[in-house]
Amino acid sequence: MDIPATLIDALRQARHVAVLTGAGISAESGVPTFREVQSGLWAQYRPEDLATPQAFRRNPTLVWDWYTWRRGLVRQAAPNPGHYALARLEGQVPRVSIITQNVDGLHHQAGSTHVIELHGNIQRTVCFTCRRPTESWEGDDRRPPHCPACDGLLRPDVVWFGERLPPEALAAAYEAAQHCQVFLSIGTSGLVEPAASLPFEALRAGAVVVEINPQPTPLSDHATYVLRGPSGVVLPALLAAF
Ligand code: BJW
Ligand code: ZN
């Protein structure tokens, strides 16, 4: 993999690198992306039609079962060389902010210490009605189980379409995008707002913006550098060139 020398220079001089990740970085860990064709049981549904409060109100069992299946995939998944390369970046640059749209926790598992989770975490469960977190629903075989506090329905603590992102996470993400010298956008289709705006914020603020993705995205024509390929290959090569 050819990494431009000018990009390595920019990384060596950077005091703060911000990184936006999407489902593509976990694809090599066996976690399916959103806009790839779903398989088996779920092939007939579009994730966009399951990840909404309306879908949950309409058919809570269907949405709960989809998340139970995905929670199982995430539990079995381990970080891949892309996640580990980003964790190693912390040893090379004074400040690294990982802004992730993923709910799988794999950046933490790989050892990254400053991770901003924009869309929540699939391993946490809260009440749809009162938002109280619940750790265990053993003995409640209903799908979804009910909240011990208010008898509402339990749901994953993730951000669905039409829901507000956690305000502190969003503010931290904008702050990082606006103050970094290098911004890496990795494995995201760049279709979902407000995350999709972050690389453009970074460009506006004068950062070097790098896209790492095997496929083109709306960012491709604007990025300072585009590295085409899977992040599990490109990121270790980037770190090796440091
Ligand atoms: C690889 C690879 C490899 C493959 N290596 N790469 C402005 C304009 C228009 C619309 C809006 C707007 N602002 C807000 C909206 C509405 C909406 C939105 O964005 N709609 C668009 C679809 C048009 N946004 C929202 O509703 C957000 N909320 C909001 O803005 O609230 C405002 C508000 C204010 C006041 C009151 C109330 C509300 C919320 C968005 C929530 C998104 N949630 C989901 C589900 C999370 C839970 C879960 O996991 O189930 O987040 S949807 C889904 O999409 C998930 C992802 O995080 C997100 C992004 O997907 P991602 O990660 O980019 O994955 P893919 O599959 O799309 O792409 C994978 C990429 O990887 C591809 O490019 C591949 O090529 C690549 N790849 N292999 C590297 N090996
Ligand atoms: Zn409740």
Side-chain angles (χ1 to χ4, degrees):
M1 173 100 225
D2 248 2
I3 310 286
T6 46
L7 168 56
I8 299 301
D9 281 347
L11 279 168
R12 283 193 185 133
Q13 284 164 28
R15 283 163 281 121
H16 181 189
V17 174
V19 183
L20 173 68
T21 64
I25 195 166
S26 296
E28 291 156 88
S29 295
V31 183
T33 65
F34 285 90
R35 286 156 194 92
E36 282 171 340
V37 179
Q38 294 211 87
S39 55
L41 189 58
W42 302 106
Q44 55 188 307
Y45 302 103
R46 293 187 327 146
E48 289 90 335
D49 297 335
L50 294 166
T52 69
Q54 292 79 2
F56 188 73
R57 279 197 196 94
R58 202 166 42 235
N59 194 341
T61 305
L62 176 78
V63 174
W64 177 262
D65 286 353
W66 184 55
Y67 277 97
T68 301
W69 170 70
R70 289 182 48 215
R71 225 180 352 253
L73 290 180
V74 164
R75 269 207 202 99
Q76 287 165 23
N80 66 58
H83 296 104
Y84 285 117
L86 287 180
R88 288 204 305 280
L89 191 60
E90 288 188 11
Q92 311 275 348
V93 176
R95 183 175 166 208
V96 176
S97 307
I98 309 282
I99 307 160
T100 189
Q101 300 170 81
N102 299 344
V103 296
D104 56 28
L106 290 177
H107 288 298
H108 280 118
Q109 264 192 57
S112 284
T113 60
H114 191 65
V115 182
I116 301 165
E117 291 184 324
L118 285 182
H119 292 164
N121 192 300
I122 198 169
Q123 303 298 1
R124 290 194 306 261
T125 300
V126 295
C127 173
F128 186 62
T129 307
C130 74
R131 293 304 299 199
R132 220 174 284 218
T134 297
E135 304 261 305
S136 155
W137 48 91
E138 226 177 272
D140 185 348
D141 294 331
R142 290 168 290 188
R143 309 191 335 263
H146 290 212
C147 168
C150 81
D151 205 41
L153 300 180
L154 296 185
R155 57 163 285 180
D157 189 9
V158 298
V159 180
W160 285 332
F161 284 112
E163 293 185 319
R164 204 187 291 268
L165 276 66
E168 280 163 28
L170 188 59
Y174 271 103
E175 191 277 328
Q178 285 159 351
H179 293 100
C180 66
Q181 290 77 45
V182 178
F183 186 101
L184 310 178
S185 176
I186 306 172
T188 177
S189 56
L191 297 174
V192 174
E193 295 290 354
S197 301
L198 292 168
F200 293 93
E201 278 299 315
L203 275 173
R204 248 193 304 277
V208 166
V209 172
V210 186
E211 175 174 82
I212 299 174
N213 197 314
Q215 302 294 332
T217 77
L219 175 66
S220 304
D221 288 343
H222 307 272
T224 323
Y225 299 95
V226 174
L227 304 178
R228 285 266 167 263
S231 46
V233 174
V234 175
L235 284 169
L238 192 66
L239 266 285
F242 221 104

